[in-house]
Amino acid sequence: MTVDWLAYTRTSYDTVAVSYAERVRTALAGEPYLRAGLGVFAELVRGAAAGDGPVADVGCGPGHVTAHLHTLGVDAFGVDLSPAMVDVARRDHPGLRFAVGSMTDLPLADSSVAGLVAFWSLIHVPDEAVPTVLGHFRRVLRPGGPLLLGFHVGDGSRLKTEGYGGHPMRVHVHRRRPEQVAGWLRDAGFAVSAELLIDPDGSLPGALLFAGRGDG
């Protein structure tokens, strides 16, 4: 897979930004385990050795997770590859900060964030690019800062060509085993602290992995 996946992902989410935002606007209200995971993450941020500070929601989409973290007392801001998604996030959450950027070259300074969330945004990143992404996550996190990853659980990938109101898309959706993602995290210098499986008997199970910089 070539670097075209970035261009395809950006274009796809530019195309579906408005429809996607409408779909997920109230999604967390029906997801108690995801809300609980974000609540634990917020508690970890407040109690971390990294101290209070900004928290990055990387791959923030229309900003619904960023906004939820803000209600939990976290100074959250969002970064997304899609300019249209960022425009929608700014429209829907005018009091919060959002910027365009790629997680493969994260436009944040070293040790600049007290925590980082990537909620179902790694699912379009090919295996060979994941170590680069996790390296940037570790680089921008302060020592002791928590990391929370959410992703689809399973094996293999599929090409998604349509979604969110019937709009055309071209993105690969990758399902991964928690132990595989945990191994990548350890290789990148993180210490994994907890794992939560969500709907493991369902058609599209998910997982949350909590980790921190290994030197924290």
Side-chain angles (χ1 to χ4, degrees):
M1 189 178 298
T2 70
V3 293
D4 284 343
W5 70 269
L6 272 174
Y8 286 132
T9 302
R10 180 187 296 109
T11 299
S12 294
Y13 279 96
D14 279 347
T15 301
V16 303
V18 173
S19 297
Y20 184 80
E22 292 172 355
R23 175 169 177 162
V24 303
R25 184 169 288 117
T26 60
L28 284 174
E31 298 287 351
Y33 297 111
L34 297 187
R35 294 198 312 274
L38 291 169
V40 170
F41 173 78
E43 183 177 344
L44 291 171
V45 170
R46 291 192 294 267
D52 291 334
V55 168
D57 176 12
V58 179
C60 66
H64 58 298
V65 172
T66 319
H68 184 75
L69 288 170
H70 184 73
T71 69
L72 298 177
V74 173
D75 180 19
F77 67 96
V79 178
D80 199 88
L81 179 66
S82 162
M85 281 289 191
V86 169
D87 286 344
V88 171
R90 289 170 174 165
R91 179 199 70 187
D92 290 350
H93 311 287
L96 301 181
R97 308 184 306 282
F98 298 96
V100 176
S102 171
M103 64 178 68
T104 61
D105 189 17
L106 201 54
L108 300 173
D110 295 0
S111 301
S112 61
V113 298
L116 191 149
V117 172
F119 233 45
W120 276 263
S121 53
L122 282 175
I123 63 172
H124 302 308
V125 179
D127 286 1
E128 63 269 21
V130 171
T132 296
V133 169
L134 295 182
H136 278 289
F137 288 179
R138 189 181 187 280
R139 175 184 62 79
V140 304
L141 266 173
R142 297 175 185 170
L147 171 70
L148 173 58
L149 301 182
F151 53 94
H152 295 316
V153 171
D155 299 296
S157 304
R158 70 178 180 90
L159 178 62
K160 185 180 181 72
T161 59
E162 182 181 298
Y164 314 113
H167 298 290
M169 301 184 74
R170 184 177 174 81
V171 292
H172 283 86
V173 180
H174 306 286
R175 297 193 188 194
R176 288 158 174 146
R177 297 290 172 182
E179 57 268 25
Q180 179 185 28
V181 180
W184 281 330
L185 283 168
R186 295 185 180 104
D187 289 344
F190 288 96
V192 178
S193 56
E195 172 189 312
L196 173 64
L197 292 178
I198 300 168
D199 196 22
D201 295 329
S203 61
L204 190 58
L208 298 180
L209 283 182
F210 296 82
R213 277 185 52 161
D215 55 358

